[in-house]
Amino acid sequence: MLSYKTLTTERFEAVNKELENKDALDVLKWAYGQFGDGLVYACSFGAEGMVLVDLISRVRPDARIVFLDTHFHFKETYEVIKRVKAKYPKLRIEMKEPSLSAEEQAAQYGPELWKTDPDMCCRLRKLQPLEEVLQGAVAWLSGLRREQSPTRAHTQFVNIDRRFESIKICPLIHWKWDDVWNYIKLYHLPYNELHDKGYPSIGCEYCTLPVEGGGDSRAGRWSGSHKTECGLHQ
């Protein structure tokens, strides 16, 4: 089995060469065949997440899916998670919480940390929890697509994740935004209602705004700052 320690540059290139003409479902079959229960999906339950959840359910009905519950998400996000649990009862969906409550974070770091130091807020509420999740996993899945933003344009199916010392699998790299929504509509999948209100990418409530037509799908995240990623994919 591949692992972060054994995935050399040569093997990394060979694996992606092997998968280059595969579709998302084939990539998932390869990934679960390779990693089994050592593969976890860190899902944000956005539009791409709905597609991956459905595809995963076809390959591994009892797959482990983790939601990084920062306690700062929109109510619509929690609502769609309930709907997903009802539609896919065999999936093992976990709500991973940060070690600090919102009140404890405010007492230790000051109120509205997402404004004064958004990188620290993401570190406490997303990065550290994912580190804990990945301690017991060999690889993890993500719904990254190349067209989402310039920082994601070179994402591969299989990626060496040096940030988390893991292997990151991204089955949707070639999908366009229209492909995502065509799939959602074709299979009548549940989705976050905020997508109908101009939110292509949905994160924490305090750091997410709707996007005007023409902006890239990440334009509404940390609007007005230099920040474009929470750190999970850097």
Side-chain angles (χ1 to χ4, degrees):
M1 181 176 68
L2 291 177
S3 69
Y4 176 78
K5 292 183 178 179
T6 64
L7 185 58
T8 63
T9 300
E10 292 76 15
R11 181 65 176 135
F12 161 75
E13 293 175 351
V15 167
N16 279 299
K17 181 70 173 176
E18 174 188 342
L19 296 173
E20 66 179 350
N21 294 318
K22 302 294 186 181
D23 62 20
L25 192 61
D26 286 332
V27 173
L28 285 170
K29 290 177 180 177
W30 173 87
Y32 279 104
Q34 182 70 222
F35 303 110
D37 288 335
L39 180 64
V40 61
Y41 177 29
C43 182
S44 65
F45 291 92
E48 292 88 354
M50 297 302 94
V51 171
L52 268 183
V53 164
D54 189 72
L55 290 172
I56 287 169
S57 73
R58 298 165 186 245
V59 178
R60 198 66 172 261
D62 62 344
R64 183 185 179 201
I65 296 177
V66 175
F67 175 67
L68 301 178
D69 186 3
T70 64
H71 296 169
F72 295 157
H73 289 285
F74 292 91
K75 65 179 178 61
E76 290 87 349
T77 301
Y78 294 108
E79 288 169 359
V80 78
I81 293 173
K82 291 180 182 177
R83 293 166 62 198
V84 170
K85 287 181 176 180
K87 183 175 176 63
Y88 307 96
K90 292 183 179 180
L91 290 177
R92 293 174 288 151
I93 299 176
E94 305 171 19
M95 308 290 277
K96 176 62 177 177
E97 301 178 341
S99 60
L100 295 178
S101 69
E103 295 75 19
E104 290 169 338
Q105 177 174 296
Q108 187 169 340
Y109 293 93
E112 300 185 331
L113 183 61
W114 54 88
K115 289 183 179 179
T116 59
D117 192 344
D119 287 336
M120 176 60 75
C121 192
C122 287
R123 186 174 303 120
L124 295 171
R125 311 202 77 76
K126 296 186 79 172
L127 300 186
Q128 290 179 1
L130 185 57
E131 286 175 350
E132 294 172 8
V133 168
L134 294 183
Q135 284 178 1
V138 181
W140 65 295
L141 286 161
S142 173
L144 295 187
R145 295 181 299 109
R146 288 180 176 178
E147 75 159 12
Q148 284 175 317
S149 68
T151 59
R152 301 180 176 189
H154 302 291
T155 305
Q156 303 293 317
F157 281 136
V158 180
N159 303 269
I160 302 174
D161 188 341
R162 305 198 186 282
R163 169 65 181 79
F164 293 103
E165 296 189 351
S166 184
I167 297 173
K168 182 165 64 178
I169 313 297
C170 303
L172 303 181
I173 57 173
H174 297 308
W175 285 49
K176 305 298 183 184
W177 189 232
D178 286 346
D179 297 329
V180 172
W181 281 101
N182 287 338
Y183 189 96
I184 288 173
K185 293 173 183 177
L186 178 64
Y187 293 104
H188 306 287
L189 304 185
Y191 66 87
N192 194 318
E193 293 178 0
L194 290 175
H195 288 306
D196 294 331
K197 300 177 181 178
Y199 292 79
S201 177
I202 303 168
C204 292
E205 184 172 7
Y206 302 120
C207 302
T208 308
L209 293 173
V211 176
E212 297 293 335
D216 73 48
S217 67
R218 302 286 297 175
R221 306 292 293 275
W222 305 282
S223 181
S225 75
H226 68 283
K227 187 174 173 65
T228 60
E229 297 280 357
C230 63
L232 298 184
H233 306 296
Q234 291 176 316

